[in-house]
Amino acid sequence: MNRNRTGWHKVINGVNISGLFVVLFIVLPLYWLIITSFRNPSNLGSVQYWPNPWSGDNYAQAFKEYDFGSYFIHSVIVTLSATALVLIFGTMAGYALGRLPMRGKFTLMVTLLMISLFPEIAVIAPLYTLEKDLGWLDSYQGLIIPYTAFFLPFAIWILRNYMLGIPKEMEETSRIDGAGPIRTVWSIILPMALPGVFTAAIFTFTACWTEFLMALTFDINLKMIPVGIATFGTPNEVPFGTIFAASVVAVFPIGILVFIFRKFVISGLTSGAVKG
């Protein structure tokens, strides 16, 4: 009995130590990113574990010299629009695939999974030609629509799996009370599926916010944040402090969203892992 307890204690301690290394692996680069962004540009060549003195020159240079504010606004518009479309269509498709009788569900779900794993680079050339013919290059819809198409299948998977966990008795009770299908979905199903919706929203927002290839190809002048940061500096000079400052601003919205909705995200991921 004591040997079994000792064995379990070793396993738990090993898990705790592994978790500590994972946390340090994530936290230390973020710490170095933040403190470097607040260092004086003239001191970037020296090793400092704490800014002395603290300086906001890197942030001022990012917004004034490199026009980072326009990149940020452009990313907000594109990301929020694409995320909203993905949630609207993904919720309806997830409800249909998870709650309604339908032929060919398995084939459709496998197709969606294949689409979600399809590499962007394989279709970037024909998409560029199509957007050029439509006059969508350097436009909001030129990124919003491709982002919606690429990130919708994964959102459908998340939402469909979560819809499966909602008891059918809830719908039956709503129908007995005289509610129609739309009201049932809006008043009963959607509130219960909010953890799955928030999970899909976080993943879609992060994917759109950090996407690089399509943003680089379709938007030459209206740059998204990743493309804008990549253009900082000159061939002979790389402003690391300014890049770090812009990266901190770029990471901040994602960190806030994950922190606020962390319970919903964990619930949504857990539900998606156990429901088939």
Side-chain angles (χ1 to χ4, degrees):
M1 191 71 177
N2 291 331
R3 291 181 179 179
N4 291 335
R5 290 182 178 178
T6 303
W8 277 111
H9 281 305
K10 290 181 179 179
V11 172
I12 294 173
N13 291 334
V15 172
N16 291 335
I17 294 173
S18 301
L20 177 62
F21 277 111
V22 171
V23 170
L24 291 176
F25 183 79
I26 296 173
V27 171
L28 287 180
L30 289 175
Y31 170 76
W32 191 255
L33 177 73
I34 294 172
I35 65 167
T36 304
S37 69
F38 283 104
R39 288 169 59 183
N40 193 297
S42 61
N43 296 331
L44 289 178
S46 61
V47 178
Q48 292 182 353
Y49 298 101
W50 191 257
N52 186 24
W54 287 74
S55 173
D57 292 345
N58 293 318
Y59 290 88
Q61 187 177 15
F63 282 93
K64 292 181 179 180
E65 183 175 342
Y66 294 103
D67 197 23
F68 182 73
S70 64
Y71 306 151
F72 189 89
I73 294 173
H74 183 53
S75 293
V76 168
I77 294 174
V78 171
T79 301
L80 291 181
S81 300
T83 302
L85 290 175
V86 167
L87 292 181
I88 292 171
F89 294 122
T91 301
M92 293 189 292
Y95 175 78
L97 291 170
R99 312 291 296 181
L100 302 179
M102 183 186 303
R103 292 183 178 180
K105 279 188 180 182
F106 178 78
T107 303
L108 184 56
M109 293 302 297
V110 171
T111 303
L112 290 173
L113 181 61
M114 293 174 62
I115 294 174
S116 65
L117 298 176
F118 203 77
E120 295 179 9
I121 196 170
V123 295
I124 201 71
L127 277 179
Y128 178 84
T129 304
L130 177 61
E131 294 213 358
K132 184 178 180 181
D133 293 339
L134 294 173
W136 284 5
L137 296 178
D138 271 327
S139 66
Y140 289 120
Q141 67 269 22
L143 284 178
I144 293 172
I145 294 178
Y147 283 179
T148 303
F150 268 90
F151 304 134
L152 180 60
F154 186 68
I156 292 176
W157 264 90
I158 294 176
L159 291 165
R160 177 257 182 186
N161 289 343
Y162 203 87
M163 294 288 184
L164 288 174
I166 300 176
K168 293 184 178 180
E169 290 77 9
M170 303 298 296
E171 288 178 282
E172 296 174 356
T173 302
S174 179
R175 290 169 185 167
I176 293 174
D177 293 338
I182 297 178
R183 185 175 179 182
T184 300
V185 173
W186 180 259
S187 302
I188 304 298
I189 301 300
L190 192 57
M192 298 186 67
L194 279 182
V197 173
F198 282 121
T199 303
I202 294 296
F203 274 92
T204 304
F205 184 93
T206 304
C208 295
W209 191 259
T210 59
E211 200 280 329
F212 185 83
L213 183 58
M214 285 191 286
L216 176 66
T217 305
F218 302 149
D219 274 15
I220 301 171
N221 297 314
L222 295 173
K223 294 181 176 66
M224 298 279 284
I225 284 178
V227 179
I229 293 177
T231 61
F232 283 12
T234 65
N236 299 320
E237 181 184 3
V238 180
F240 288 106
T242 308
I243 292 175
F244 282 18
S247 299
V248 170
V249 177
V251 170
F252 187 75
I254 297 176
I256 292 297
L257 288 175
V258 173
F259 179 77
I260 294 175
F261 301 114
R262 62 189 183 280
K263 293 182 180 180
F264 291 106
V265 173
I266 294 173
S267 176
L269 288 176
T270 304
S271 175
V274 300
K275 299 291 189 301

